[in-house]
Amino acid sequence: QTTPFEFQVTPYPCDPGLSLSPGRSVMAEPDYLEGDCDELIKPKKLINPVKTSRNHQDLHRELLMNQKRGLAPQNKPELQKVLEKRKREQVLKAQKEEQEAHKKRSDLEIELMKRQQKLEQLELEQQKIEEEQENTPEFVKMKSNLRRTRQETDGEERTT
């Protein structure tokens, strides 16, 4: 015979030996199932003090009533709720800091921004000039170089 505990009942329930046969599991069958041995003390089911407490019963009754009404509590655990709340607060704080940074700029920051914009414009102009020079034919470049050298030599002769 097999029981729901997946072990077999031995033909001798009072036999203390644990001989394992091929179809038998490792767990021993309790001797009190057959009822042949009256001298054994049979265990009683223990009472769970949590389930017998009045607070637990009231809480359980309230949860059942809420479930029937459709007012079941949220499925999220408390830790997850706290983490989501912190994340929302951090995002809001970061947005506020960005807005304040845009609103309140000091004079130094304004001047630095202006200088940075001027430098960027100068760099763009230099890139345009370089691109134009790269696109011009070689003889035009040589002609401009000759003019510069002539102007430099003329300027040195006049000073001396």
Side-chain angles (χ1 to χ4, degrees):
Q1 293 177 344
T2 58
T3 61
F5 302 108
E6 298 181 13
F7 44 85
Q8 297 177 353
V9 178
T10 59
Y12 307 105
C14 292
D15 184 19
L18 295 174
S19 61
L20 292 176
S21 61
R24 190 176 156 127
S25 69
V26 177
M27 291 183 57
E29 177 68 26
D31 295 336
Y32 55 86
L33 289 179
E34 286 293 319
D36 293 340
C37 301
D38 293 331
E39 65 267 2
L40 292 177
I41 300 173
K42 296 178 182 159
K44 294 180 182 177
K45 187 173 182 179
L46 294 175
I47 298 171
N48 189 347
V50 174
K51 288 188 176 181
T52 57
S53 71
R54 192 77 178 144
N55 289 339
H56 179 79
Q57 290 175 355
D58 291 341
L59 179 63
H60 187 65
R61 190 177 305 115
E62 183 179 344
L63 286 172
L64 287 175
M65 293 295 288
N66 286 340
Q67 187 177 8
K68 286 180 184 176
R69 291 183 198 154
L71 302 174
Q74 291 182 351
N75 295 335
K76 293 182 181 179
E78 186 176 350
L79 178 63
Q80 188 176 0
K81 290 178 187 177
V82 170
L83 291 175
E84 287 177 357
K85 183 178 177 183
R86 284 184 184 175
K87 189 173 182 180
R88 273 195 311 269
E89 289 175 354
Q90 286 178 352
V91 169
L92 290 174
K93 187 177 179 181
Q95 289 175 351
K96 286 181 182 179
E97 288 177 358
E98 288 178 9
Q99 289 175 356
E100 290 177 6
H102 289 295
K103 289 179 183 176
K104 298 179 181 178
R105 289 189 178 159
S106 67
D107 295 336
L108 178 64
E109 288 177 342
I110 294 171
E111 289 297 320
L112 290 174
M113 296 271 293
K114 287 180 183 177
R115 287 186 183 183
Q116 184 179 3
Q117 289 175 353
K118 287 180 183 177
L119 288 173
E120 288 175 358
Q121 288 177 352
L122 289 173
E123 287 178 4
L124 288 174
E125 290 175 4
Q126 287 178 355
Q127 287 178 356
K128 287 180 184 178
I129 292 171
E130 288 175 4
E131 288 176 4
E132 289 175 2
Q133 287 179 354
E134 290 176 1
N135 294 337
T136 58
E138 186 69 26
F139 69 91
V140 176
K141 292 179 187 177
M142 293 302 290
K143 188 175 181 182
S144 64
N145 284 341
L146 288 174
R147 283 185 188 162
R148 269 189 255 139
T149 54
R150 184 183 302 162
Q151 288 174 358
E152 289 175 1
T153 55
D154 290 343
E156 288 176 4
E157 289 177 1
R158 289 182 187 168
T159 57
T160 54

